[in-house]
């Protein structure tokens, strides 16, 4: 079934003309990214040659996608906007609140009981405002979007950083905070700084043990977790064309791990095949008709260095399977080097659990390649030495692999099948023994491997690999096992070697499903009531944030000086806290509890300047708020990397933090802070980070003349009576300054809709 055909038809009809106009304006050939961006300029945005990494530009995205954990806050905000219906096609997907514990059916039953209040709220809000609703168990947002909504040349925003997965079908799909989603659903333009462009030329062809996952693991090693910040990564070349559509999706999905705005591929036969296999023949036919506009101009591919800010070339024929980690997705190790790397770093080499699936690697092709190894294990007398779990990406994939006998094979090697949900990938894994916090190693085909991410144990070392390599390592039970060269001993004492994995791009008998789990919204939702119990611990209606008081900020107390990596997981932990994503005050009790305090090297332990005592970060901040004292948070490099969760911006705002000052920000988090009326500043001189002392009171000077490109002055009042001034930069444009003055972007939206 194809959704929103009229919308796609209209876009495709206008696309050639808009691209031609852009090509004339720029006076040169265009990359695919530029074609899609220029085709989605907001109607109020005059056509011009925008400057990469400098111009702020308004866009009109085609659609919005939300997962249940972030949708709660996004829709609570949308309810304040005053619109009767969403302005663009939008969907909600219930995938984050299901804990992986026993097996799919039982875990889903528990989730439906525990989160009934939240699911009922999301279903009723969706019904009222014209939003498509995907029930718990229907699948993970990004896989469901790829199967049903993604289309070549489209632009989508989603309230999850891995929205970028849809680039596998040739979209510009970008992860945002709920406030951005609220804007677009309310019919307002969506703002983005015109991105830089990184071109990745793929030559050769994948074969043997090497998978699409290894492409992005290699790229992550090259670019690091910050290397893609502010850029779109565009893949092209013979290697890209030879790859499956879902393989492309895997690569785009993990583009979030290099900080990229998004990643994308040009339209080709693999996308056409996938569209047809998933019941969207009409979309494929429409895309075929404008094929030349859904990929870069030929001149770009012929001389990419002229059109991209950076070009990387990877020969897929020479690419080796990789394992990335632990604790960061950009520590890339070819499998042939793992033995020496593990020894040098004293990593535990016994693999305790191998986990495949998730939004990153749960396609039919992925599962078919993994099951080919499971079949070999059975035939060759090998029993996995590690636990082995499978997380299907959607009910359509799960139903199809069950029909085709894959689950029966997995059962023979003792695999456990979890629900069609995020589960272990986002910390929703009730792993037995994790509370002991023992050093151990797991391997998975997910996208992130930060400390505590999967099971809450800071000593679990998670390594990211393709589903087939994860399967091989689970069978071997050894991180240093290289399936390309090494043998295993079977139950007869024989040395056996695993053959290369094989798989199918798409199911020979087509996809099948009995109940996709989709609920269409009411044609007229005006009579639908959305009730929120005032006593609820899970949901809380929002009150608007207060407007700026019109003066400089004086006497701010230092809440925490965070040391080292501080992701959105550290700022607003997931796992068991997901249940409070719709209740701002309750979830604020996890504010910065994972961040390391520079002054004592501890987490969740900061000095309360009012009492001189050390205590939890949230309790300390609540004490400052009760005393009417504003605070400042100081951070290190790439502060706020990781998930797009806007709770990491809303919690400090709610509890009275006024400023976040860092060496540098991750893109989405900086935008989220701005949307919520916060001051997001960076040290003009990064060495000034060292000048911040534990007992400082800080003034922010220059806000009465706050303007784009003009630095602000911070006065540090030290406990010994001395003081010093430092400069702080910002990236606010005039519109964003108005958000700050109004107290939040939503405050402006409300006035516009009401007016």
């Amino acid at each position: 079934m194809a959704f929103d055909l009229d919308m796609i038809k209209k876009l495709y009809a206008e696309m050639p003309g808009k691209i031609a106009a852009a090509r004339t304006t720029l006076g040169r050939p265009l990359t695919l990214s530029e074609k899609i961006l220029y085709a989605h300029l907001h109607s109020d945005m005059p056509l011009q040659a925008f400057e990469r990494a400098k111009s702020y530009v308004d866009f009109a995205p085609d659609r919005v996608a939300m997962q249940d954990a972030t949708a709660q806050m996004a829709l609570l905000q949308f309810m304040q906007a005053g619109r009767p219906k969403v302005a663009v096609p939008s969907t909600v997907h219930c995938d984050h609140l299901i804990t992986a514990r026993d097996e799919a059916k039982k875990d889903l039953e528990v989730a439906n009981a525990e989160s009934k209040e939240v699911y009922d709220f999301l279903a009723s809000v969706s019904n009222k405002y014209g939003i498509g609703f995907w029930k718990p168990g229907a699948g993970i947002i990004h896989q469901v979007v790829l199967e049903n909504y993604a289309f070549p040349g489209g632009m989508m925003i989603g309230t999850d950083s891995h929205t970028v997965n849809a680039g596998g079908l040739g979209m510009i799909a970008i992860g945002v905070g709920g406030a951005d989603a609220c804007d677009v659903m309310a019919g307002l333009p969506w703002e983005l700084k015109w991105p830089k462009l990184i071109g990745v030329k793929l030559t050769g062809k994948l074969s043997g043990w090497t998978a699409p996952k290894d492409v992005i693991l290699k790229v992550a090693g090259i670019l690091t977790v910050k290397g893609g910040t502010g850029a779109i990564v565009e893949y092209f070349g013979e290697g890209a064309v030879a790859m499956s559509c879902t393989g492309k999706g895997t690569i785009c999905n993990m583009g979030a791990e290099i900080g990229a705005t998004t990643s994308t591929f040009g339209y080709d036969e693999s996308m056409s095949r996938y569209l047809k296999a998933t019941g969207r023949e009409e979309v494929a036919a429409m895309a075929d008709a404008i094929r030349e506009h859904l990929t870069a101009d030929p001149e770009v591919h012929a001389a990419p260095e002229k059109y991209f800010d950076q070009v990387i070339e990877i020969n897929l024929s020479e690419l080796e399977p990789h394992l990335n980690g632990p604790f960061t997705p950009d520590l890339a190790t070819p499998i042939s080097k793992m033995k020496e790397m593990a020894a040098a770093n004293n990593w535990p080499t016994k693999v305790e659990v191998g986990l495949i699936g998730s939004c990153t690697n749960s396609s039919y092709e992925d599962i078919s390649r993994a099951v080919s190894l499971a079949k070999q294990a059975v035939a060759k007398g090998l029993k996995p030495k590690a636990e082995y779990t499978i997380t299907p990406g959607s009910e359509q994939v799960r139903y199809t692999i069950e029909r085709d006998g894959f689950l029966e094979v997995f059962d023979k090697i003792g695999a456990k099948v979890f629900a069609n949900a995020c589960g272990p990938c986002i910390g929703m894994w009730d792993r037995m023994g994790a509370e002991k916090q023992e050093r151990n190693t797991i391997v998975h085909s997910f996208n992130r491997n930060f400390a505590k991410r999967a099971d809450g144990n800071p000593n679990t070392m998670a390594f990211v690999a393709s589903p087939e390599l994860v399967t091989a390592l689970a069978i071997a039970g050894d991180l240093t096992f290289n399936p390309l060269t090494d043998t295993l001993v079977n139950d007869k004492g024989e040395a056996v070697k695993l053959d290369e994995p094989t798989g199918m791009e798409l199911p020979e008998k087509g996809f099948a499903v009995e109940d996709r789990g989709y609920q269409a919204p009411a044609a007229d939702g005006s009579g639908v009531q959305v009730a929120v119990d005032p006593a609820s611990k899970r949901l809380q209606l929002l009150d608007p944030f207060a407007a700026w008081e019109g003066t400089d900020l004086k006497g701010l107390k230092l809440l925490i000086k965070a040391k080292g990596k501080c992701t959105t997981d550290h700022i607003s932990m997931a796992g068991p806290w997901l249940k409070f994503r719709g209740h701002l005050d309750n979830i604020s009790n996890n504010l910065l509890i994972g961040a390391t305090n520079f002054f004592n090297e501890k987490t969740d332990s900061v000095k309360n300047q009012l009492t001189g005592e050390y205590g939890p970060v949230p309790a300390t901040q609540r004490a400052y708020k009760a005393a009417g004292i504003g605070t400042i948070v100081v951070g290190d490099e790439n502060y706020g990397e990781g998930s797009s969760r806007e709770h990491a911006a809303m919690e400090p705002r709610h509890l009275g933090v006024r400023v976040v000052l860092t060496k540098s920000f991750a893109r989405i988090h900086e935008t989220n802070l701005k949307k919520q009326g916060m001051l997001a500043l960076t040290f003009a001189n990064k060495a000034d980070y060292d000048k911040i002392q534990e007992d400082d009171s800080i003034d922010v000077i220059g806000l009465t003349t706050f303007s784009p490109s003009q630095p602000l002055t911070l006065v540090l009042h030290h406990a010994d009576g001395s003081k010093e001034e430092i400069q702080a930069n910002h990236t606010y444009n005039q519109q964003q300054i108005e958000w700050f003055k109004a107290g939040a972007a939503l405050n402006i939206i409300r006035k516009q809709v009401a007016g």
Side-chain angles (χ1 to χ4, degrees):
M1 174 184 171
F3 290 88
D4 310 310
L5 281 173
D6 290 342
M7 177 265 284
I8 299 172
K9 201 174 291 182
K10 182 174 185 293
L11 174 70
Y12 281 3
E14 297 173 351
M15 212 165 181
K18 289 182 176 180
I19 290 171
R23 196 181 287 114
T24 300
T25 299
L26 271 66
R28 61 167 175 79
L30 301 178
T31 65
L32 169 64
S33 303
E34 290 171 321
K35 289 181 179 183
I36 300 175
L37 291 171
Y38 274 104
H40 286 85
L41 291 180
H42 192 268
S43 57
D44 294 339
M45 200 80 213
L47 178 61
Q48 58 185 279
F50 297 107
E51 197 171 351
R52 294 179 188 175
K54 290 193 176 177
S55 301
Y56 282 92
V57 182
D58 286 343
F59 293 98
D62 299 311
R63 64 177 314 110
V64 173
M66 297 166 280
Q67 39 95 333
D68 51 352
T70 49
Q72 296 170 63
M73 198 56 69
L75 293 174
L76 285 164
Q77 291 178 85
F78 179 76
M79 288 168 68
Q80 291 189 45
R83 277 193 67 105
K85 191 174 183 179
V86 290
V88 300
S90 304
T91 53
V92 168
H93 305 260
C94 296
D95 61 2
H96 269 58
L97 302 178
I98 302 168
T99 300
R101 183 181 294 113
D102 298 311
E103 52 80 31
K105 186 178 179 184
K106 192 181 293 184
D107 292 346
L108 185 57
E109 287 173 354
V110 171
N112 275 318
E114 286 183 346
S115 296
K116 183 178 187 303
E117 179 183 18
V118 172
Y119 293 148
D120 288 349
F121 167 74
L122 292 173
S124 62
V125 172
S126 298
N127 202 25
K128 182 175 182 64
Y129 293 108
I131 299 168
F133 180 72
W134 292 80
K135 301 172 187 176
I140 306 173
I141 176 173
H142 311 303
Q143 180 67 24
V144 173
V145 165
L146 198 71
E147 291 174 1
N148 295 278
Y149 299 109
F151 66 95
M155 176 183 266
M156 175 176 71
I157 62 169
T159 61
D160 188 281
S161 52
H162 294 105
T163 298
V164 295
N165 188 80
L169 252 175
M171 289 194 94
I172 292 291
I174 301 175
V176 299
D180 279 3
C182 184
D183 283 4
V184 175
M185 290 189 293
L188 299 177
W190 175 65
E191 182 187 73
L192 178 72
K193 188 185 286 185
W194 195 270
K196 294 180 292 182
L197 296 178
I198 298 173
V200 179
K201 183 178 182 180
L202 302 179
T203 62
K205 189 175 181 181
L206 294 171
S207 63
W209 283 92
T210 311
K213 182 79 156 205
D214 296 305
V215 177
I216 187 58
L217 295 180
K218 174 75 172 176
V219 170
I222 295 169
L223 289 175
T224 79
V225 291
K226 293 199 304 179
T229 302
I232 292 178
V233 182
E234 186 173 319
Y235 292 84
F236 61 95
E238 60 180 353
V241 173
M243 200 180 293
S244 68
C245 173
T246 52
K248 294 177 173 76
T250 292
I251 292 169
C252 292
N253 181 297
M254 273 197 70
E257 274 47 76
I258 56 171
T261 300
T262 192
S263 305
T264 195
F265 285 78
Y267 180 65
D268 60 25
E269 283 304 314
S270 72
M271 295 185 192
S272 178
R273 289 193 297 271
Y274 187 74
L275 286 168
K276 291 168 184 172
T278 50
R280 292 173 286 174
E281 295 86 352
E282 292 168 278
V283 177
M286 287 192 286
D288 288 340
I290 63 160
R291 179 182 291 263
E292 67 189 273
H293 304 293
L294 300 176
T295 192
D297 287 333
E299 298 90 337
V300 173
H301 290 165
E305 63 282 350
K306 291 183 180 178
Y307 304 97
F308 293 100
D309 299 290
Q310 180 180 357
V311 178
I312 297 168
E313 186 167 334
I314 298 173
N315 184 341
L316 302 185
S317 300
E318 299 173 356
L319 184 63
E320 190 177 341
H322 276 61
L323 274 167
N324 283 28
F327 304 132
T328 185
D330 60 350
L331 181 54
T333 304
I335 189 63
S336 63
K337 305 288 185 188
M338 180 50 75
K339 192 168 288 187
E340 61 186 83
M341 281 289 287
N345 292 281
N346 192 31
W347 294 331
T349 57
K350 184 184 180 219
V351 174
E352 302 289 346
V353 191
L355 307 99
I356 70 165
S358 86
C359 70
T360 326
N361 276 107
S362 58
S363 68
Y364 187 87
E365 181 181 42
D366 290 328
I367 306 298
S368 70
R369 283 173 65 82
V371 85
S372 75
L373 295 170
K375 284 179 182 174
Q376 286 188 54
V378 174
K380 296 182 179 185
L382 296 168
K383 290 187 178 178
K385 293 182 179 175
E387 288 182 52
Y388 185 68
T389 73
I390 300 142
T391 303
S394 71
E395 175 57 15
Q396 179 165 272
V397 166
R398 191 213 62 79
Y399 188 93
T400 304
I401 63 173
E402 182 179 39
R403 179 203 66 189
D404 292 349
F406 293 0
L407 295 186
E408 189 179 335
V409 175
F410 283 132
D411 187 56
K412 289 178 181 176
I413 63 165
K416 182 183 287 188
V417 181
F418 287 138
N420 313 321
C422 299
C425 184
I426 58 161
M428 293 296 281
W429 182 20
D430 188 3
R431 183 185 178 191
M432 189 176 296
E435 71 283 353
K436 297 175 187 174
Q437 300 201 351
E438 296 171 333
R439 286 181 88 240
N440 75 105
T441 288
I442 65 173
V443 290
H444 61 57
S445 68
F446 308 159
N447 40 44
R448 294 212 165 121
N449 58 350
F450 304 140
K452 301 184 182 181
R453 172 81 178 184
D455 62 3
N457 177 2
N459 298 313
T460 292
M461 298 184 187
F463 293 83
V464 183
S466 67
E468 43 269 60
L469 188 55
V470 168
T471 305
L473 295 177
I475 292 169
D478 184 351
L479 186 68
T480 67
F481 173 70
N482 182 352
L484 285 77
T485 57
D486 298 347
T487 58
L488 297 168
V489 177
N490 69 7
D491 54 11
K492 295 177 183 174
E494 302 165 335
V496 296
K497 193 168 184 287
L498 291 172
D499 300 324
E500 293 175 349
T502 58
M504 292 167 282
E505 177 183 341
L506 296 163
E508 290 179 356
K509 293 186 281 186
F511 285 107
V513 66
E514 280 187 350
D515 179 9
R516 294 186 305 162
Y518 175 69
Q519 172 187 294
D524 177 6
S526 58
V528 177
Q529 294 298 313
V530 179
V532 174
D533 184 350
S536 172
K537 293 181 180 179
R538 299 286 300 270
L539 297 165
Q540 180 187 47
L541 295 175
L542 296 175
D543 292 321
F545 290 132
W548 172 56
E549 52 269 71
T551 61
D552 288 336
L553 302 179
K554 301 283 186 74
L556 302 178
K557 298 296 185 185
L558 176 68
L559 175 62
I560 187 172
K561 180 177 174 179
K563 179 181 179 181
K565 189 183 281 281
C566 192
T567 71
T568 49
D569 274 344
H570 296 96
I571 304 167
S572 175
M573 217 167 268
W577 290 94
L578 284 172
K579 66 171 70 77
F580 298 123
R581 284 282 179 88
H583 197 295
L584 182 55
D585 193 58
N586 281 348
I587 199 169
S588 293
N589 288 322
N590 76 2
L591 175 66
L592 284 158
I593 63 176
T596 300
N597 182 359
F598 178 91
F599 297 106
N600 61 9
E601 299 281 336
K602 295 180 179 179
T603 58
D604 203 22
S605 176
V606 294
K607 188 174 184 179
N608 181 334
Q609 293 189 40
L610 303 179
T611 65
E613 297 176 355
Y614 286 84
V617 182
T620 304
Q621 180 55 36
R622 287 186 187 275
Y624 287 134
K625 182 179 182 180
I629 297 171
T631 58
I632 181 170
V633 168
V634 174
D636 213 319
E637 294 280 11
N638 206 27
Y639 182 88
E641 74 170 277
S643 298
S644 67
R645 66 190 65 144
E646 66 183 326
H647 297 77
M650 294 186 78
E651 290 175 31
R653 179 74 169 103
H654 171 66
L655 291 184
V657 177
R658 302 299 300 271
V659 182
V660 180
L661 171 67
T662 72
K663 292 181 182 177
S664 64
F665 282 103
R667 175 190 64 83
I668 298 176
H669 186 62
E670 183 181 20
T671 301
N672 285 347
L673 289 168
K674 291 177 178 180
K675 286 272 182 179
Q676 302 303 337
M678 296 275 282
L679 270 181
L681 308 177
T682 54
F683 291 100
N685 179 358
K686 291 183 180 182
D688 287 344
Y689 171 89
D690 298 323
K691 294 179 179 178
I692 306 293
Q693 298 178 18
E694 189 169 30
D695 293 303
D696 279 353
S697 290
I698 300 172
D699 302 335
V700 181
I701 308 299
L703 289 175
T704 54
T705 55
F706 193 14
S707 58
S709 304
Q710 291 300 309
L712 296 170
T713 299
L714 272 63
V715 183
L716 312 179
H717 298 273
H718 302 312
D720 63 3
S722 65
K723 68 178 182 179
E724 52 189 320
E725 292 187 359
I726 63 173
Q727 294 295 302
N729 294 333
H730 67 84
T731 60
Y732 287 74
N733 60 27
Q734 195 54 52
Q735 175 178 275
Q736 293 168 343
I737 289 172
E738 294 307 314
W739 297 346
F740 168 73
K741 290 179 177 178
L746 186 58
N747 292 348
I748 294 176
I749 295 175
R750 192 184 303 105
K751 287 179 184 174
Q752 289 174 338
V753 173

